[in-house]
Amino acid sequence: MVVSSKSFLMYAKCIPSGECLKCPIRGRSITYGPFKSRRRGVSIGINLFPIAKVCSFNCIYCFRGPTKILSVEPVDDGAGINESLLKDSLRIAYEEVMKEFRTINAIDFSGSGEPTLHPKLPELVGTVKSFVKEYGLDVSVGMFTNSTTLHSNHIVKTLKNLDYVEAKLDTVIQSKFELINIPHKTLSIDRIVNNLRNFRKEFNGVLTIQTILIKYNNIINYTFEDAKALAEALTTIEPDEVHLYTTYKTPRVENVEKVSYEVMRDFSNVLERYGLKVEIYLS
Ligand code: SF4
């Protein structure tokens, strides 16, 4: 079911394959789902950029397509998502989820791009929290972020209101970071790691680091040295968990390849030797 407003949709039910690049909606809805996953249970996703993908990265494996607005500053894609649009959209999504699953475990900001770049993020987090309270729900409210805005006090203050933050860190090596994540030119991986470290000290919810292992021509981020360098950085960040993925959906750049379970397991073993709690997700 889809409900339209302007040139985007209030809600879109995801296609069974979950392949965003093969979906006719292609990220043009505010809420989407429902999903059932090992990591978040039954969840709804929130997309704050339903018109054009806004991100500070343009990752080669992104399954949302190319970044349309590459920015490290808050920017609206023209959709003007506000509190009342989000609330209406959440209500529609919630009713759809309850029809199918009769329960909901999580509501997550994720979607097309980097949600923390939305100019109204504090108000929109407040909208979700009020919605949860109003409906008497026992859900985890989360944010999937690429970790590039954690230098900002107002983003840290906003994220502290959440139950769950999953923060991306695919590599701690600047040259690989530039080739894999294709970041805005002002971004450095050392500063991102430092910001994650500081964020951990402030955030009392569940902090998960998300690492995506890939192969693209001669670029790989899963050697023993990659794992060791990442593990050393992660021990200073102290996340609750590390989630390892590979490209399980169609990547935006052809020839970005998945890695095998064995590669993920070996990588995981290195992290675990440093005392980190690791989960492997193949899909
Ligand atoms: S950070 Fe996420 S949304 Fe942005 S380009 Fe990378 S995978 Fe896509």
Side-chain angles (χ1 to χ4, degrees), residues 142-163:
M143 177 78 61
F144 285 70
T145 175
N146 66 8
S147 319
T148 58
T149 57
L150 298 176
H151 58 280
S152 156
N153 288 337
H154 102 271
I155 297 291
V156 171
K157 196 168 159 211
T158 300
L159 298 194
K160 278 167 73 177
N161 294 318
L162 298 171
D163 306 299

Side-chain angles (χ1 to χ4, degrees), residues 54 56 69-76 116-119 149 151 184:
V54 174
S56 43
I69 303 171
L70 184 72
S71 177
V72 284
E73 298 298 331
V75 59
D76 188 354
T116 63
L117 289 172
H118 196 280
T149 57
H151 58 280
H184 187 278

Side-chain angles (χ1 to χ4, degrees), residues 242-262:
V242 182
H243 289 181
L244 293 183
Y245 300 82
T246 187
T247 52
Y248 60 93
K249 293 184 185 176
T250 307
R252 76 168 184 86
V253 174
E254 253 183 86
N255 304 330
V256 173
E257 295 174 44
K258 285 178 195 288
V259 302
S260 66
Y261 174 74
E262 288 68 32

Side-chain angles (χ1 to χ4, degrees), residues 9-247:
L9 308 170
M10 295 292 275
Y11 166 73
K13 186 172 172 61
C14 288
I15 56 174
S17 70
E19 284 281 4
C20 299
L21 290 179
K22 294 181 184 159
C23 174
I25 308 297
R26 289 286 290 270
R28 285 182 296 107
S29 70
I30 307 175
T31 51
Y32 59 96
F35 305 102
K36 194 167 185 192
S37 67
R38 179 155 56 103
R39 64 180 177 184
R40 300 292 283 149
V42 176
S43 66
I44 298 170
I46 297 173
N47 171 28
L48 301 180
F49 301 116
I51 289 182
K53 182 183 153 204
V54 174
C55 198
S56 43
F57 287 173
N58 193 12
C59 303
I60 55 175
Y61 59 73
C62 185
F63 60 83
R64 303 269 184 189
T67 297
K68 292 282 176 3
I69 303 171
L70 184 72
S71 177
V72 284
E73 298 298 331
V75 59
D76 188 354
D77 65 338
I81 305 298
N82 57 26
E83 293 96 311
S84 85
L85 266 177
L86 179 58
K87 189 175 175 193
D88 288 349
S89 171
L90 277 171
R91 185 180 41 74
I92 296 164
Y94 173 67
E95 285 165 7
E96 288 297 311
V97 172
M98 293 313 273
K99 266 192 236 162
E100 193 171 339
F101 291 102
R102 301 190 176 280
T103 188
I104 178 166
N105 307 115
I107 301 177
D108 292 317
F109 288 85
S110 179
S112 195
E114 171 51 35
T116 63
L117 289 172
H118 196 280
K120 288 181 80 76
L121 188 75
E123 295 88 335
L124 297 173
V125 167
T127 301
V128 178
K129 298 293 278 187
S130 307
F131 181 87
V132 166
K133 200 166 167 197
E134 188 184 323
Y135 280 68
L137 305 177
D138 180 17
V139 303
S140 166
V141 179
M143 177 78 61
F144 285 70
T145 175
N146 66 8
S147 319
T148 58
T149 57
L150 298 176
H151 58 280
S152 156
N153 288 337
H154 102 271
I155 297 291
V156 171
K157 196 168 159 211
T158 300
L159 298 194
K160 278 167 73 177
N161 294 318
L162 298 171
D163 306 299
Y164 181 86
V165 170
E166 184 153 333
K168 180 184 290 300
L169 193 62
D170 295 332
T171 175
V172 291
I173 299 166
Q174 182 71 22
S175 58
K176 294 197 183 193
F177 170 59
E178 288 172 12
L179 291 165
I180 294 169
N181 299 117
I182 316 191
H184 187 278
K185 62 179 185 310
T186 58
L187 293 168
S188 105
I189 200 64
D190 288 348
R191 244 174 289 144
I192 288 172
V193 170
N194 198 36
N195 294 335
L196 278 164
R197 210 176 280 137
N198 292 336
F199 177 67
R200 167 74 290 180
K201 289 182 195 136
E202 303 250 341
F203 179 59
N204 293 321
V206 175
L207 175 64
T208 293
I209 295 292
Q210 177 195 98
T211 300
I212 300 192
L213 303 179
I214 55 111
K215 173 174 175 10
Y216 176 58
N217 298 330
N218 59 349
I219 305 165
I220 58 172
N221 61 340
Y222 52 82
T223 64
F224 175 74
E225 286 68 33
D226 287 317
K228 202 165 156 287
L230 184 67
E232 280 164 8
L234 290 175
T235 53
T236 68
I237 295 170
E238 300 183 15
D240 295 286
E241 285 190 18
V242 182
H243 289 181
L244 293 183
Y245 300 82
T246 187
T247 52

